[in-house]
Amino acid sequence: EAGVAQSPRYKIIEKRQSVAFWCNPISGHATLYWYQQILGQGPKLLIQFQNNGVVDDSQLPKDRFSAERLKGVDSTLKIQPAKLEDSAVYLCASSPRGVSGANVLTFGAGSRLTVL
Amino acid sequence: QKEVEQDPGPLSVPEGAIVSLNCTYSNSAFQYFMWYRQYSRKGPELLMYTYSSGNKEDGRFTAQVDKSSKYISLFIRDSQPSDSATYLCAMRGAAGNKLTFGGGTRVLVKP
């Protein structure tokens, strides 16, 4: 079974520029998550999709972050304009449908963003 | 106060020793408890999860949950240098899928 694919792996941008990250979840996984992991901290949920609908985006800074999951498969996370504090690893994860599915998240390797 | 607290370490042990990791939490609604392992520059990898209180064993790993004390533990027996990683606890309530993670404990197993 192929894992969760993410790209790019690394990105360096100037503050106020924009950046986009892409995620392809495990085939058949209905739920897709974007997490932000700042160095030395645990992951923090930014947004959760069930198929192509948003389930939870309460911690997404909506003035600068946006995400979409077209056709219930791939997803993109965009930051515009970026701030210094957005420097972090952006992790995509997916899980099977159902209550117990939420206990078995599979993470991608992450996209490391550095904002200068 | 953070919802889930975890000692950041680093925790350094000799090969073959028992590694003891723990997390405390404040939200009594948490019902499911997970442990993830994260190698440098990799995503977290699920080790095991437990429901409510009790113990669960999987190979060299044992997870314990004490809901009365709001305290969970992970023990790694016969530790190997390949166990060197950051260990993250995570938990969620019965409803919804949102996981709350601890900050992670960095473990170093020395040969």
Side-chain angles (χ1 to χ4, degrees):
Chain A
E1 172 180 81
V4 176
Q6 290 189 246
S7 68
R9 288 295 315 276
Y10 304 94
K11 190 74 176 180
I12 301 174
I13 61 173
E14 302 275 338
K15 60 183 179 183
R16 291 187 291 274
Q17 286 186 326
S18 63
V19 63
F21 303 112
W22 172 83
C23 172
N24 180 241
I26 290 176
S27 177
H29 278 192
T31 310
L32 184 147
Y33 314 77
W34 283 102
Y35 282 83
Q36 180 192 57
Q37 186 174 25
I38 293 172
L39 186 64
Q41 299 182 18
K44 182 185 83 171
L45 180 68
L46 292 176
I47 189 166
Q48 176 187 333
F49 293 94
Q50 179 79 18
N51 297 312
N52 58 346
V54 175
V55 174
D56 185 344
D57 64 356
S58 57
Q59 298 188 98
L60 186 74
K62 298 180 185 63
D63 58 334
R64 299 182 300 105
F65 285 66
S66 65
E68 61 181 7
R69 189 184 185 195
L70 299 177
K71 301 181 181 178
V73 182
D74 293 7
S75 178
T76 56
L77 175 71
K78 296 179 181 178
I79 307 174
Q80 181 180 13
K83 292 186 175 182
L84 295 177
E85 59 261 35
D86 298 333
S87 294
V89 176
Y90 292 86
L91 295 162
C92 180
S94 67
S95 67
R97 187 186 305 275
V99 174
S100 61
N103 299 328
V104 288
L105 268 62
T106 301
F107 283 86
S111 294
R112 183 178 297 269
L113 173 66
T114 302
V115 182
L116 302 176
Chain B
Q1 183 186 6
K2 293 181 181 178
E3 222 172 353
V4 180
E5 298 275 4
Q6 193 173 1
D7 189 321
L11 180 62
S12 183
V13 300
E15 183 176 355
I18 294 175
V19 177
S20 175
L21 303 165
N22 58 75
C23 289
T24 58
Y25 62 96
S26 57
N27 189 340
S28 58
F30 289 143
Q31 296 282 347
Y32 296 90
F33 305 91
M34 298 93 187
W35 285 96
Y36 283 83
R37 177 176 63 196
Q38 187 172 26
Y39 291 115
S40 180
R41 299 190 182 276
K42 301 287 187 182
E45 171 194 14
L46 179 68
L47 289 173
M48 55 199 307
Y49 77 88
T50 54
Y51 171 69
S52 196
S53 288
N55 294 358
K56 185 174 183 179
E57 188 173 318
D58 185 359
R60 297 186 295 114
F61 299 91
T62 299
Q64 292 183 349
V65 174
D66 181 349
K67 290 190 66 182
S68 63
S69 302
K70 296 190 179 67
Y71 186 91
I72 69 171
S73 302
L74 178 71
F75 300 96
I76 308 173
R77 292 183 299 280
D78 188 25
S79 58
Q80 304 296 311
S82 58
D83 294 326
S84 298
T86 295
Y87 290 80
L88 297 155
C89 64
M91 46 199 79
R92 70 174 185 94
N97 296 357
K98 179 181 174 181
L99 291 183
T100 300
F101 281 84
T105 299
R106 186 173 162 223
V107 172
L108 180 61
V109 181
K110 295 184 176 179

